[in-house]
Amino acid sequence: MKAAVFCKSFRDDFARLPRLIGSWREHARDFPLLLSVPAGDRELLPEAAGGEGITVVEDEAYAPEIPAGMDGWRQQQVCKLAIHHTGFADAYVMIDSDSYFVGPLDEGDVFAGEKRRIVYSKCFSVFEAPPAENENLLSLLRAEGRPAVGDAHYFGLAAGRLDGFAERLAGYRARAEQAEASGPDVPGFTAVDRSAWLFDLFMIPNNAILQPGQILQAAFLARFEEFMADQGMGLADVIKLIPWEYNWYAAYSMSAHAEMIVPNIALILHFASDAAVEAAKAVGVSAEMIGRRFPILQMAARHFDREEF
């Protein structure tokens, strides 16, 4: 396949899959849907997860062995970084079970001629409350047409650099090992704290937005895995050090393969609270408006209970 939709799911999120799959059939069925689940959960999949255009694969069939004790949040990140091992497609539009399609998906969202798109912009597509926090996002929602890559309001970010990477990585690995030896609650070493390390590791601008969601290009994933193996790290080691798979992928890609990439704003508009949904509606954001700009809408599971905008 040239491009596919990829969803990594598990039993706790299966109740949301029928909505996702129904919306995929309506808006994006030209992109085959690859659904990955743990082997032990496969028999629990809802009936909607069958049918034409849907392929189910077990995590264990393509992902590296997960270290004992790694939590589910990190495990699914390892799977996403390893998806190229399935050989299913050249590129994957990432979507989670708590998301659904609200607009069309087309090849131009993934490729730009001979070049590849990845999420790398100045526009954070997580809607915040109050609405004043969403200036760039609201201007995008209200605009006509896709912003040009040369539009400095949304793009214009420098590529990263790999010179000195090995030395910087060694420093962060040493800091992590020291913190872990001191105990689990060392200030400054949470997952969120560690996410900032990636900007320094790959020398990318600290205002670069690399998610929610990503456009995973199989060739870049394969080269990233090889690059990190040369540093003595497997994919599970990578996520254990800094658990932000999309950020690893995008930062590496824009450092090692920038000449092959056209930066993109995320294809997902993300809500993580009722307050954010109500704030969006209060300033005139509608489902129709969202669908013109974002093909995918995400209602963050385990953050709030609402499942549709």
Side-chain angles (χ1 to χ4, degrees):
M1 306 295 178
K2 188 169 184 181
V5 173
F6 172 50
C7 177
K8 169 68 188 83
S9 191
F10 77 123
R11 65 177 66 198
D12 288 4
D13 286 343
F14 284 175
R16 294 177 181 251
L17 285 178
R19 176 179 294 100
L20 164 58
I21 291 169
S23 69
W24 164 78
R25 293 192 187 282
E26 179 180 357
H27 294 290
R29 64 183 308 152
D30 290 341
F31 287 68
L33 174 59
L34 181 63
L35 179 61
S36 181
V37 300
D41 292 356
R42 186 164 186 166
E43 292 186 358
L44 302 175
L45 276 167
E47 185 177 348
E52 184 179 357
I54 300 175
T55 298
V56 178
V57 64
E58 295 173 0
D59 303 345
E60 294 84 351
Y62 66 89
E65 185 174 350
I66 301 295
M70 177 171 276
D71 61 89
W73 180 58
R74 288 171 173 81
Q75 287 184 33
Q76 55 92 16
Q77 295 184 51
V78 174
C79 288
K80 290 173 183 178
L81 290 177
I83 191 59
H84 60 287
H85 286 293
T86 65
F88 188 80
D90 294 335
Y92 302 88
V93 174
M94 287 301 314
I95 186 167
D96 289 330
S97 310
D98 55 4
S99 306
Y100 61 98
F101 285 90
V102 292
L105 187 67
D106 62 53
E107 193 172 293
D109 291 318
V110 183
F111 303 104
E114 295 299 313
K115 294 190 175 185
R116 307 297 182 96
R117 293 190 183 275
I118 70 165
V119 175
Y120 192 81
S121 80
K122 297 178 183 178
C123 186
F124 189 38
S125 63
V126 175
F127 204 97
E128 307 280 2
E133 300 296 324
N134 305 281
E135 181 181 352
N136 260 12
L137 181 54
L138 281 170
S139 66
L140 179 67
L141 284 165
R142 292 165 175 160
E144 298 292 335
R146 184 198 294 265
V149 173
D151 188 338
H153 192 62
Y154 299 108
F155 300 108
L157 294 165
R161 301 198 314 273
L162 292 178
D163 50 295
F165 178 87
E167 292 77 13
R168 292 191 296 277
L169 178 64
Y172 282 114
R173 294 182 75 178
R175 288 174 62 183
E177 289 172 6
Q178 183 178 12
E180 287 158 9
S182 301
D185 301 315
V186 179
F189 288 87
T190 68
V192 172
D193 295 325
R194 292 182 186 214
S195 69
W197 297 0
L198 284 166
F199 295 88
D200 178 54
L201 273 174
F202 291 98
M203 304 296 285
I204 64 170
N206 61 12
N207 62 333
I209 303 300
L210 315 175
Q211 50 174 295
Q214 252 295 350
I215 304 162
L216 297 179
Q217 304 287 346
F220 297 160
L221 286 171
R223 292 170 188 172
F224 169 68
E225 187 172 9
E226 293 169 0
F227 175 75
M228 294 311 300
D230 289 342
Q231 312 297 320
M233 297 183 73
L235 295 179
D237 301 318
V238 162
I239 294 303
K240 181 182 176 184
L241 178 66
I242 307 173
W244 299 97
E245 79 283 26
Y246 297 149
N247 295 12
W248 272 107
Y249 160 82
Y252 162 77
S253 298
M254 284 303 299
S255 301
H257 308 294
E259 73 286 353
M260 302 168 62
I261 291 170
V262 173
N264 214 58
I265 294 169
L267 301 176
I268 296 171
L269 180 61
H270 179 108
F271 290 93
S273 71
D274 286 308
V277 172
E278 296 309 318
K281 291 182 176 181
V283 294
V285 176
S286 65
E288 181 183 9
M289 180 188 291
I290 294 168
R292 289 198 304 266
R293 173 56 57 210
F294 293 96
I296 301 163
L297 204 161
Q298 183 171 21
M299 312 296 281
R302 285 168 286 283
H303 287 269
F304 70 140
D305 294 330
R306 191 186 300 228
E307 296 186 10
E308 294 186 13
F309 181 76

